[in-house]
Amino acid sequence: MLQILYLAQDLADPAVRRRTLTLVAGGANVTLAGFRRGGSPLATVGGVEPIELGTTADGRFAQRIGAVATACLSLKSRLGGLRKPDLIIARNLEMLAVAKRAVALFGGDVPIVYECLDIHRLMLRGDMVGRALRAAEARLGRDARSLITSSPAFIEHYFRPLSGIEAPPMLLENKVLEIDGSTLPAPAPARYPPPGAPWRIGWFGALRCRKSLHLLAEFSRRMEGRFEVVLRGRPAYSEFRDFDGFVQNEPFMRFGGAYRNPEDLAEIYGDVHLTWAIDFFEEGQNSAWLLPNRLYEGCRHARIPIAMKGTETARFLAVRGIGLVLADANADSLVALLGSLRPDDFAEAADRIGRCHPATWVFDRSDCETLVRRLATLTHDAPQTIIPAAALAEARHNESGLL
């Protein structure tokens, strides 16, 4: 059984939970270690008890650097009693530093996989700070056996031209994890609202975009109750002046709190008709390149995704002939896109999504097992094949989730 040490920057991150469940379902024996983000509670994940290495604060980069340094100094006391892993997966740049220290602790011959699903704006700066961070990433990731990322655009726009990471990339999309479909509620049929009831737009997941919040609020007011906005997930309170107060003062917007992924997806998507798959948090950079979780979650439940023109998400939808694309980031454009939405339009759009193969949206147990087998090959000395640029273009059409 493959022994994996998974190092995570935020142990309470739902994406960390999903990745841990994925590895366990694939047959790996996983040790999860990392940082607690603020006061976030920690819980056992798929029978895996997390090991806390310290506490970090959202949006405080300097504090996180200090926490990483402290963790590296105390790593022997935290991980010294563990069985030597076959492989270490380091999620994000700071965990690469911890992974390098862990390799030394375990004897210097444990392969590292670098997992990076977002490109922080600091990494893209053209000044001394950006160059220093990219140099650190290249140095720490010099011996990485593989790079896991979630969008072809991250490879095309960052990892190939800027990062200095030479590890072969593995595309692992943010699909819905359905290990045992029979244990999860089935997706509810896509039904339009009855006469007089509002259309509902769901914005779920990591809520960190002020521009989206204000745009959706203005749009819902303009539509005078014909549309409601439902928010679920984890607000990044450091990015909002007063998230809770703002939402409470909006007549057509409500926040329903956090949810479990994938257990609660059928319930929360069953309550909406459209999915907000737009993010302006790092506009023109990470936000333009990512393929968000809610894209796959919403489409899995035949809810109509709304993407922003010129983004990787919009290109993904165009290839499949589904979804709606917002031309400009303002309320007038959103009114033009949705204001005349009719039940027949919705039914046709939902039907087009339903005709896509389920593997477009779902990562099942066999996919988990394939991933773990592929990771196991990285523990051998056989050279890894670097994917040529042409294959990246084909990735937009790829529905298996693994390159």
Side-chain angles (χ1 to χ4, degrees), residues 154-164 167 169 386-389 392:
F154 289 152
I155 301 172
E156 293 176 19
H157 296 291
Y158 178 72
F159 286 111
R160 285 281 190 245
L162 292 175
S163 76
I386 295 179
I387 300 171
L392 297 177

Side-chain angles (χ1 to χ4, degrees), residues 16 27 42 49 66 71 105 129 133 147 186 216 226 241 253 258 269 277 286 296 303 307 342 349 357 364 372 393:
V16 169
L42 302 182
E49 187 75 32
L105 177 66
V129 172
L133 287 173
L147 163 72
L216 288 168
R226 287 186 53 211
R241 182 173 300 174
M253 181 177 282
Y269 282 97
N286 188 74
Y296 300 89
R303 270 48 184 180
R342 300 173 302 171
H357 194 282
D364 63 19
V372 170

Side-chain angles (χ1 to χ4, degrees), residues 48-223:
V48 178
E49 187 75 32
I51 300 171
E52 185 178 334
L53 302 179
T55 302
T56 58
D58 190 25
R60 293 177 57 190
F61 196 71
Q63 188 273 336
R64 286 162 61 181
I65 292 176
V68 168
T70 300
C72 288
L73 292 174
S74 62
L75 206 60
K76 185 174 183 179
S77 64
R78 305 295 179 96
L79 304 182
L82 297 179
R83 173 181 172 182
K84 181 179 179 179
D86 300 311
L87 184 78
I88 297 174
I89 300 178
R91 187 181 181 94
N92 286 8
L93 176 56
E94 60 257 51
M95 304 318 293
L96 259 183
V98 179
K100 295 287 283 187
R101 177 71 184 101
V103 167
L105 177 66
F106 288 115
D109 58 349
V110 181
I112 295 174
V113 172
Y114 180 31
E115 181 178 36
C116 183
L117 309 186
D118 282 296
I119 311 300
H120 196 281
R121 58 185 176 270
L122 291 177
M123 305 297 296
L124 297 165
R125 285 171 53 163
D127 59 9
M128 184 183 300
V129 172
R131 289 193 295 271
L133 287 173
R134 290 192 296 274
E137 181 184 56
R139 184 176 66 256
L140 292 170
R142 180 176 54 201
D143 299 324
R145 292 289 182 90
S146 184
L147 163 72
I148 292 177
T149 194
S150 57
S151 170
F154 289 152
I155 301 172
E156 293 176 19
H157 296 291
Y158 178 72
F159 286 111
R160 285 281 190 245
L162 292 175
S163 76
I165 293 289
E166 297 181 356
M170 183 188 303
L171 183 65
L172 203 57
E173 298 173 63
N174 291 314
K175 296 184 181 184
V176 179
L177 183 61
E178 293 189 5
I179 300 171
D180 295 301
S182 61
T183 66
L184 297 176
R191 295 192 177 96
Y192 48 81
W199 296 96
R200 294 194 186 94
I201 301 173
W203 180 21
F204 303 147
L207 308 177
R208 58 185 183 178
C209 179
R210 290 192 302 270
K211 188 170 180 177
S212 287
L213 186 67
H214 289 275
L215 174 54
L216 288 168
E218 181 182 354
F219 166 74
S220 64
R221 284 178 178 263
R222 288 267 297 270
M223 299 308 293

Side-chain angles (χ1 to χ4, degrees), residues 194-308:
W199 296 96
R200 294 194 186 94
I201 301 173
W203 180 21
F204 303 147
L207 308 177
R208 58 185 183 178
C209 179
R210 290 192 302 270
K211 188 170 180 177
S212 287
L213 186 67
H214 289 275
L215 174 54
L216 288 168
E218 181 182 354
F219 166 74
S220 64
R221 284 178 178 263
R222 288 267 297 270
M223 299 308 293
E224 299 180 328
R226 287 186 53 211
F227 284 80
E228 290 182 352
V229 180
V230 182
L231 312 177
R232 295 293 301 267
R234 300 173 69 204
Y237 285 103
S238 62
E239 301 299 327
F240 301 98
R241 182 173 300 174
D242 180 10
F243 175 86
D244 294 321
F246 182 92
V247 173
Q248 288 172 5
N249 288 326
E250 288 300 319
F252 309 113
M253 181 177 282
R254 58 183 169 88
F255 176 51
Y259 59 93
R260 294 176 303 160
N261 187 337
E263 293 88 346
D264 297 337
L265 295 183
E267 176 187 350
I268 66 173
Y269 282 97
D271 189 41
V272 301
H273 307 96
L274 302 111
T275 302
W276 188 253
I278 295 176
D279 186 293
F280 302 106
F281 179 64
E282 292 176 347
E283 199 168 359
Q285 298 177 338
N286 188 74
S287 294
W289 304 335
L290 57 76
L291 292 173
N293 295 303
R294 49 187 172 268
L295 166 66
Y296 300 89
E297 295 166 1
C299 288
R300 170 57 176 153
H301 295 84
R303 270 48 184 180
I304 316 304
I306 306 169
M308 189 69 217

